[in-house]
Amino acid sequence: MSNVYNHRQMVPSAPLSSRVTDLLESLRSEYDLLNQEASNMRLFKDEYEQRASSQIGEMQVIQQSLAELERAHHKIKQQYEEEIMRLRRELEARGGPPVTPSPFLQQQPPQQHQPPLPPQQAQHPIPMSQPHSAGIPHGPGGMYGGMPPGSAPHGGPNGSVMPPGQGHGGEPHPGVYMNQAGSYPPPGTSVVVNSHGQPMTPQQQSGGSKDRKPNVMGPSQGMQPPPSLQQQQQQPGPSQMGSRQTPTQSSGAVMASKGQGSSGQLADMDLHNVPPNLKREGPDWFVIFNPKIPRLLNIEHVHTLDHTSVVCCVKFSNDGKYLATGCNRTTQIWSVATGNKECVLADENAPKNGDLYIRAVCFSPDGKYLVTGAEDKQIRVWDVQKRTIRHILSGHDQDIYSLDFSSDGKMILSGSGDRTVRLWNLESGKELCKFLIEDLGPKDAGVTSVAFSPNDKLVAAASLDKMIRLWDVASGQPLQRVDGHKDSVYAVAFSPDGQSLLSGSLDKTLRIWDLGRYGSNGRSADMVTCRSSLVGHKDFVLSVAYSPDGNWIVSGSKDRGVQFWDPRSGQTQCMLQGHKNSVISVALSPTQTFFATGSGDCRARIWSYETIQQQM
């Protein structure tokens, strides 16, 4: 009987171990292939990295070489320019013919910053330009070529120039302050320069930026140069092109409420016709004394401090041993005794492009610190001994035009084209108070100058809107707005006894104001009255100062002159002509009979003034 279940015959298969071996071999082959590819990729990667590292190294070497070449270029350029200036001055001192600037110097593009004038709007600061250029750098707003200009024909309020660092500037530059020969410009000419000290275009002159100081660089009218230079003035220089003539101060100048001083128009006197006992002459400077009053002073030149750009500000230390000067990018400290440069302070972290004029400098009472204000809106507090920056005070919206220290050295006062005066704590670097100008007058009120009263209870500020404002320091409240000048006010200073306030204006006059006693509410009526108006300058008054004993007032002007005034009589004692461009800043030593001047001719000078017996 056959089996009911027919089973299929089983055929033996390949051994299992053989199949596993094949699979493993296949996997191993694939692994080896992938491993080889990975090795190749690693080789390629290493090669690429090597090439990249090599190229980066080459780029760094090239960059280093370029940096070294640039440094060498700047050094050679500076040496070349200094040698040019030295030779030009030597030729001028010898009475030689005007020297035309070299093509290299003429190629320097005009800067649009201005020196020490307060700005009117952040558009046009006025730094000063290179000493060699045809135009002098402007100052803040065009004030001495550094104050903020306005909208007047000069490019700033009331015809002022714009401050530096703000666009098409309003402040004059160094080159614009002088003619191409570097000599005194022809009488009756006035050059309007921008914030870089360069001649302003008609568009710039007609539309200066707000809160900027007017242009103060550039020769003024009617000033008689030394005889050796008079022939050089026969032919107008290029700096006269596009300039705006500034009318001579008329005899009908503004009268003060209690009197008007007169200089006897010393600027109009012919040096050749002045008696020997009423004049003093040097190689490139001269002094004329007022023939209508007794001669009480003797003026002598002490040191000339050469700079490579417009000198926007000068200030003595409280011990009288040092003088600080502010120019483009650097603040320099000089020994008053020797005239040697002691140190140069420059912020290496500041932007490298464009100009950066230092518009204001001020020593702390103990001499340990020096504060500087610039067109980059920053206030830097320097440790003089360490030559390092202790604080950078930020807060202003426009260029800094003026600085002052409280008598105890604890507070710093600053004025800016942003229409504010600010109080800072030296120790912490913090802002303590902001005095805001809200009662705007006929034009924007950029602040051009600030000062503490001797007892630190009052703050005074001059502005482009023709006003002077007083605040109470303790309360921060405004006390009075003083109106009297006919144009922007560029400078204010308290008398040493704190009883008077001195101001200088673009209306070509100085005014002495009597400060009345404050009532219990700090707002007594007619608190401030004008005692006298000092008339004698032929152009903008850019800087004013009292002597430490209060016996003399000193003023610097766009007419290139410095005048000494008797505050009691309002009469001019003498007129000094010692610069070839606007005198932007004046300062008197607190301890000695020295005074300093800073100018658009790229020089600061130290002079002595001594009392003498009346000469018969």
Side-chain angles (χ1 to χ4, degrees), residues 31 60 77 111 121 176 193 241 263 276-277 323 327 609:
Y31 173 78
Q60 290 175 342
K77 175 184 173 183
Q111 303 290 336
Q121 280 187 353
V176 196
V193 295
M241 299 181 64
S263 67
N277 65 318
L323 178 74
C327 55
Y609 66 102

Side-chain angles (χ1 to χ4, degrees), residues 474-547:
S475 66
Q477 295 300 309
L479 297 176
Q480 187 168 347
R481 186 177 73 169
V482 182
D483 187 2
H485 280 291
K486 302 304 181 184
D487 208 335
S488 300
V489 184
Y490 266 33
V492 290
F494 283 95
S495 61
D497 62 8
Q499 298 301 307
S500 303
L501 184 67
L502 174 66
S503 60
S505 167
L506 299 190
D507 64 11
K508 309 174 190 174
T509 71
L510 293 80
R511 291 189 177 225
I512 303 175
W513 308 86
D514 285 328
L515 302 178
R517 295 180 177 276
Y518 294 91
S520 57
N521 61 356
R523 293 174 177 274
S524 59
D526 299 327
M527 178 179 60
V528 178
T529 57
C530 182
R531 187 198 338 162
S532 58
S533 180
L534 312 182
V535 180
H537 278 294
K538 307 288 286 184
D539 213 323
F540 302 157
V541 177
L542 305 178
S543 183
V544 298
Y546 269 101
S547 63

Side-chain angles (χ1 to χ4, degrees), residues 421-456:
V421 176
R422 301 185 189 224
L423 200 60
W424 311 82
N425 180 276
L426 171 64
E427 187 65 26
S428 65
K430 302 296 184 183
E431 182 180 307
L432 300 176
C433 183
K434 178 167 70 174
F435 307 105
L436 179 62
I437 296 179
E438 298 175 317
D439 55 330
L440 300 183
K443 67 175 79 177
D444 288 332
V447 176
T448 58
S449 179
V450 295
F452 271 115
S453 63
N455 61 8
D456 296 333

Side-chain angles (χ1 to χ4, degrees), residues 123-156:
Q123 307 178 298
H124 307 283
I126 311 178
M128 311 233 162
S129 93
Q130 311 296 332
H132 56 270
S133 69
I136 297 180
H138 44 53
M143 203 171 98
Y144 330 107
M147 304 282 280
S151 58
H154 323 38

Side-chain angles (χ1 to χ4, degrees), residues 115 128 136-137 144-145 172-178 197 217-219 580-582 600:
M128 311 233 162
I136 297 180
Y144 330 107
H173 278 258
V176 196
Y177 294 62
M178 61 189 86
M217 311 294 284
K580 296 184 178 67
N581 214 295
S582 302

Side-chain angles (χ1 to χ4, degrees), residues 229-554:
L229 297 176
Q230 287 183 355
Q231 292 183 354
Q232 299 181 18
Q233 298 181 354
Q234 297 298 323
Q235 302 194 2
S239 63
Q240 299 179 37
M241 299 181 64
S243 67
R244 172 181 170 278
Q245 295 275 343
T246 303
T248 301
Q249 180 72 41
S250 67
S251 58
V254 180
M255 296 293 294
S257 61
K258 295 187 179 180
Q260 171 176 332
S262 172
S263 67
Q265 296 300 322
L266 297 183
D268 292 330
M269 297 179 65
D270 184 351
L271 185 64
H272 296 290
N273 297 328
V274 176
N277 65 318
L278 292 179
K279 64 182 178 182
R280 178 80 175 86
E281 293 184 76
D284 58 354
W285 59 273
F286 65 91
V287 183
I288 294 178
F289 294 88
N290 191 346
K292 297 181 180 180
I293 60 176
R295 175 178 172 180
L296 302 177
L297 289 176
N298 188 44
I299 307 293
E300 293 291 341
H301 172 249
V302 180
H303 298 300
T304 293
L305 314 177
D306 288 327
H307 294 67
T308 57
S309 66
V310 171
V311 180
C312 301
C313 50
V314 295
K315 194 76 171 182
F316 284 95
S317 60
N318 272 24
D319 60 9
K321 294 181 179 180
Y322 301 100
L323 178 74
T325 60
C327 55
N328 190 12
R329 295 198 164 276
T330 67
T331 301
Q332 302 178 26
I333 298 179
W334 308 76
S335 167
V336 174
T338 66
N340 293 332
K341 188 185 301 183
E342 297 294 321
C343 72
V344 176
L345 305 177
D347 186 354
E348 298 301 329
N349 296 320
K352 305 300 181 185
N353 55 323
D355 288 335
L356 182 61
Y357 281 88
I358 310 302
R359 312 273 185 79
V361 294
C362 189
F363 282 99
S364 62
D366 59 10
K368 292 182 179 179
Y369 301 103
L370 179 70
V371 291
T372 64
E375 63 186 16
D376 63 356
K377 312 169 190 175
Q378 306 294 315
I379 300 169
R380 293 169 176 84
V381 181
W382 292 87
D383 184 310
V384 175
Q385 186 174 7
K386 297 178 181 178
R387 303 184 186 182
T388 58
I389 296 176
R390 177 175 180 180
H391 297 303
I392 293 183
L393 312 181
S394 301
H396 281 294
D397 297 327
Q398 291 192 23
D399 302 2
I400 313 299
Y401 294 113
S402 183
L403 294 167
D404 197 12
F405 255 106
S406 60
S407 59
D408 61 8
K410 296 180 179 179
M411 295 183 293
I412 299 169
L413 188 66
S414 62
S416 166
D418 63 7
R419 305 194 308 277
T420 68
V421 176
R422 301 185 189 224
L423 200 60
W424 311 82
N425 180 276
L426 171 64
E427 187 65 26
S428 65
K430 302 296 184 183
E431 182 180 307
L432 300 176
C433 183
K434 178 167 70 174
F435 307 105
L436 179 62
I437 296 179
E438 298 175 317
D439 55 330
L440 300 183
K443 67 175 79 177
D444 288 332
V447 176
T448 58
S449 179
V450 295
F452 271 115
S453 63
N455 61 8
D456 296 333
K457 292 184 178 180
L458 298 178
V459 162
S463 60
L464 296 175
D465 64 354
K466 312 177 187 177
M467 304 296 178
I468 303 167
R469 292 171 176 82
L470 295 173
W471 286 272
D472 177 73
V473 173
S475 66
Q477 295 300 309
L479 297 176
Q480 187 168 347
R481 186 177 73 169
V482 182
D483 187 2
H485 280 291
K486 302 304 181 184
D487 208 335
S488 300
V489 184
Y490 266 33
V492 290
F494 283 95
S495 61
D497 62 8
Q499 298 301 307
S500 303
L501 184 67
L502 174 66
S503 60
S505 167
L506 299 190
D507 64 11
K508 309 174 190 174
T509 71
L510 293 80
R511 291 189 177 225
I512 303 175
W513 308 86
D514 285 328
L515 302 178
R517 295 180 177 276
Y518 294 91
S520 57
N521 61 356
R523 293 174 177 274
S524 59
D526 299 327
M527 178 179 60
V528 178
T529 57
C530 182
R531 187 198 338 162
S532 58
S533 180
L534 312 182
V535 180
H537 278 294
K538 307 288 286 184
D539 213 323
F540 302 157
V541 177
L542 305 178
S543 183
V544 298
Y546 269 101
S547 63
D549 58 10
N551 289 334
W552 299 105
I553 286 172
V554 181

